[in-house]
Amino acid sequence: MRSSSVAAVASTAVLMTLAGASRGQSTGGFSLDRFEPAPAGDAFFSVPSPAAPGHLAPRAYLGLDFAHRPIHSSGDNPVDLVSSQAFLRLDASLALWDRLLLSIDAPLAVAQGGDDPGIPGVVFTELTAPELGDLRFGARFRVFGEDTEPFQLGLGGYLFAPTGSPAQYTGDPEARGSVQANLGGRIDSAGSTLGFLWSASGGVELGGGSNRPQLFTFGGAAGLLIADDLLQLGAEAYGGAPLGEELLLSSTPVQRDGASVNAELLFGAKLRVLDGLTFGAAVGPGLTSAIGTPPVRAVGMIGWTPLPKPARERAQSATAVAGDKDDDGINDDIDACPDVKGDPSPDRAKDGCPPADRDGDTVLDIDDACPSTPGVRSADATENGCPVDSDDDGFHDGIDACPNVRGTASDDPKKVGCPGDADGDGILDASDACPKAKGPANRDPKQNGCPDDPDGDGIRGAADACPNERGPSDSDPRQNGCPRFVRVNTEEITTSKPVRFVVYGKTRAQTVDPISDEILYEVRDAIQQNPDIELVEVQGHTDDNGSESYNLALSQQRADAVLSWLVAAGVPREKLVAKGYGFEQPLGDNRVKTGRQKNRRVQFVIIKRKGKP
């Protein structure tokens, strides 16, 4: 049969139904709307989930679904026999024991209409509104899986009371019911505010009278949760496949039409605010041309439909019930230090206690300035947990070979902290003008123990870092005998004095001390007077006092402050880069005061010259 003939037969059949209904002669007609909303509280618009979250937890919404041309014909003279149908729905659900969900759907056709095909001798009956639809009662039981887990299984069903009008296509002549199996779940990204939802369902729908065949129903949906469930975006497909072959449109005269698969697609979004106030909208096409499947369907809703708490919140709630006085995530019944926030530990005697005391001196590592060396408590944070330095020479008694006599550093552990002859030239360091360079005795105290002086600046031999350039003496051996404050080497711009910072309050925000301006001006000049220097890394370094993250941030602040100073003084920004290394690159022993002082520094490393990689 040609498509135009088929359309004509379908049009005539529907028309006879409508006309016959007006004369009280027809028992034809059925519930035309193929959109069955998911129970209130479910994530998606049409595809139900297996969840039943909460106990005595009510959820409800007011919704509107609009179908455009749910019965339409094609051919030479197309007619929209049902051009539109809109249902206002009041849906509610109640969750019990985190297992059972009871629901109700009350539909009301608030607008519907169709076109008169204009067939002579047949009176066209206009569709009217408002008209009740079939009340739906539902129950669902969660069989497997917990809420917010990736996989759950639920079983449920609906009972439809015949409260609608078959002649007006808002209900079925008899009661009908359905049973379903529902799958679904939720996946939350670790450390992220994103989540993923999915649902799938399948079942059979039976009863409703002889006007319609039984159905196999199906559906699938997937959605993305954004900003901790604030916004949900998703897509869902649903429909039904008839288990019979025909629909009874009219019994006087008998008119039937072929039943075929209904299938629709929806794209929707939901916005949840105030922990449950939900606004939703969806729109999508019909995927088949079966009776009841519109070319376009639109859905909107507003209601109170909060989702279950995310897994991390549920865990926190469970912890609160079990008792966690110090709020460290470890229940009081297993917390070895229930009144002090601590860390997990495989040792039950330390589980939930503050960070370890590695050196066993009863000063916790978090407060210990010498965390790997036993010491004593001190009001000075820089000395707390460090051994006593009886002679105040910078070497605590734990490593000082001469704890009662001020001394100097030595590579020989037996000489650390002891006075002596570091260069082995027979002249004690106390009177040796060049204690690190061998030289002969001299009546001149300034030359005593010093080797020859090629540049005549009074600093002799290996002690002169710039043997061919006159310069003043300096406590830093790398600068001793070098001109001014700055020296340009192949790989670094070295300074004879450290850059100092002003510390404001407890926040420890770093700013360059004006006392260092003279040094930094010379660094600026060195960069400007050496045009082959293309890129200098301003490095910040610290001692190991404090945590790794704290020192890394502090060193970066210092490097950034010096970079800003140099840029303000005229150094092109593209020639500088700042980087903090924390305590990763120590120059001295962090166990002693002098070593920690050496480690608190700013360096200027040349990382790129013209013509060189």
Side-chain angles (χ1 to χ4, degrees):
M1 184 181 291
R2 295 181 304 170
S3 60
S4 59
S5 299
V6 173
V9 170
S11 301
T12 302
V14 174
L15 177 63
M16 292 296 293
T17 302
L18 300 178
S22 68
R23 298 191 297 271
Q25 297 175 343
S26 174
T27 59
F30 48 85
S31 175
L32 177 62
D33 192 9
R34 292 297 181 260
F35 175 76
E36 287 296 340
D42 280 9
F44 298 102
F45 290 91
S46 178
V47 181
S49 77
H55 177 59
L56 296 177
R59 295 169 176 85
Y61 74 81
L62 185 66
L64 179 70
D65 76 86
F66 173 80
H68 177 58
R69 300 168 62 203
I71 300 182
H72 57 281
S73 64
S74 61
D76 297 334
N77 296 301
V79 177
D80 292 330
L81 298 173
V82 180
S83 59
S84 64
Q85 194 174 46
F87 279 89
L88 185 68
R89 297 178 179 275
L90 179 61
D91 276 61
S93 68
L94 180 67
L96 300 172
W97 308 292
D98 254 346
R99 285 285 180 182
L100 179 64
L101 185 77
L102 305 178
S103 64
I104 184 171
D105 171 56
L108 177 68
V110 293
Q112 55 181 352
D115 298 334
D116 186 347
I119 299 177
V122 178
V123 178
F124 174 72
T125 300
E126 185 175 353
L127 296 179
T128 61
E131 290 284 348
L132 285 175
D134 286 348
L135 278 174
R136 187 191 75 186
F137 303 92
R140 183 171 71 214
F141 182 76
R142 177 170 58 83
V143 177
F144 175 82
E146 297 296 327
D147 291 332
T148 73
E149 289 187 352
F151 183 83
Q152 297 178 63
L153 168 65
L155 298 176
Y158 298 129
L159 175 64
F160 298 81
T163 53
S165 170
Q168 290 290 321
Y169 288 100
T170 64
D172 288 312
E174 300 176 11
R176 71 184 193 275
S178 69
V179 291
Q180 295 176 339
N182 303 312
L183 302 175
R186 169 179 176 142
I187 301 173
D188 290 298
S189 300
S192 172
T193 60
L194 297 178
F196 174 76
L197 289 172
W198 69 280
S199 288
S201 68
V204 293
E205 186 176 301
L206 306 173
S210 59
N211 294 7
R212 54 181 288 167
Q214 315 305 305
L215 293 175
F216 167 73
T217 60
F218 57 86
L224 181 66
L225 295 170
I226 301 172
D228 284 332
D229 299 347
L230 176 66
L231 178 64
Q232 175 185 321
L233 303 177
E236 48 195 289
Y238 58 91
L243 302 177
E245 297 181 353
E246 294 182 330
L247 295 168
L248 177 63
L249 300 175
S250 172
S251 60
T252 308
V254 173
Q255 296 290 337
R256 298 181 182 274
D257 194 14
S260 57
V261 175
N262 296 95
E264 299 183 36
L265 183 63
L266 282 179
F267 299 96
K270 289 186 178 181
L271 178 67
R272 297 181 178 88
V273 296
L274 302 177
D275 292 331
L277 182 60
T278 304
F279 302 88
V283 65
L287 302 179
T288 64
S289 58
I291 289 178
T293 300
V296 177
R297 184 184 299 277
V299 180
M301 57 83 69
I302 178 174
W304 181 255
T305 58
L307 284 179
K309 292 181 180 179
R312 56 182 178 274
E313 294 183 18
R314 292 163 64 90
Q316 291 172 358
S317 297
T319 298
V321 172
D324 181 15
K325 290 186 290 184
D326 54 14
D327 194 29
D328 59 2
I330 302 171
N331 293 351
D332 292 342
D333 57 346
I334 62 172
D335 195 334
C337 302
D339 298 311
V340 182
K341 185 175 292 189
D343 297 330
S345 172
D347 184 351
R348 296 195 57 160
K350 296 180 180 180
D351 197 15
C353 292
D357 177 16
R358 284 178 286 170
D359 55 17
D361 60 2
T362 73
V363 180
L364 296 177
D365 289 352
I366 194 172
D367 300 318
D368 200 332
C370 301
S372 57
T373 306
V376 297
R377 293 184 180 275
S378 172
D380 183 352
T382 63
E383 298 293 339
N384 192 31
C386 294
V388 173
D389 182 9
S390 301
D391 54 16
D392 196 28
D393 60 0
F395 303 96
H396 60 73
D397 293 354
I399 61 173
D400 196 336
C402 304
N404 299 313
V405 182
R406 293 175 62 87
T408 59
S410 175
D411 293 334
D412 185 351
K414 296 180 180 180
K415 296 181 180 180
V416 172
C418 294
D421 180 12
D423 55 14
D425 60 2
I427 301 172
L428 293 178
D429 293 345
S431 57
D432 196 335
C434 301
K436 295 185 179 181
K438 289 185 179 182
N442 194 307
R443 293 181 179 181
D444 183 355
K446 296 182 179 179
Q447 302 297 326
N448 192 31
C450 293
D452 293 338
D453 182 16
D455 57 8
D457 60 2
I459 302 173
R460 299 177 181 276
D464 195 340
C466 302
N468 298 313
E469 298 175 79
R470 294 176 62 86
S473 61
D474 195 291
S475 59
D476 186 344
R478 295 177 303 172
Q479 299 297 324
N480 197 32
C482 292
R484 304 167 62 195
F485 297 100
V486 170
R487 180 183 177 190
V488 179
N489 296 325
T490 302
E491 299 177 353
E492 184 176 0
I493 300 173
T494 60
T495 61
S496 60
K497 292 184 179 180
V499 177
R500 300 187 181 278
F501 298 87
V502 177
V503 181
Y504 293 98
K506 295 182 179 180
T507 61
R508 300 199 177 188
Q510 301 297 315
T511 243
V512 177
D513 193 324
I515 199 172
S516 297
D517 287 356
E518 189 174 5
I519 299 171
L520 292 179
Y521 276 126
E522 291 193 9
V523 173
R524 176 202 64 184
D525 295 340
I527 296 173
Q528 294 178 339
Q529 293 168 9
N530 290 270
D532 63 317
I533 297 176
E534 292 188 341
L535 187 61
V536 174
E537 182 177 79
V538 182
Q539 297 183 353
H541 301 272
T542 69
D543 58 23
D544 69 348
N545 183 24
S547 68
E548 180 180 355
S549 60
Y550 166 80
N551 281 290
L552 193 61
L554 179 61
S555 63
Q556 186 66 48
Q557 290 172 1
R558 289 176 173 173
D560 287 338
V562 172
L563 183 147
S564 298
W565 192 103
L566 292 172
V567 170
V571 178
R573 176 64 180 82
E574 62 271 19
K575 285 195 171 189
L576 300 173
V577 62
K579 184 173 181 181
Y581 289 88
F583 52 69
E584 295 177 357
Q585 300 180 7
L587 292 180
D589 190 341
N590 273 311
R591 297 177 301 170
V592 298
K593 182 189 296 183
T594 55
R596 293 194 295 274
Q597 289 174 344
K598 287 181 181 180
N599 295 335
R600 297 192 291 268
R601 70 194 187 278
V602 174
Q603 291 180 249
F604 304 91
V605 177
I606 301 171
I607 61 176
K608 187 176 182 183
R609 288 181 181 267
K610 285 185 179 179
K612 296 183 179 179

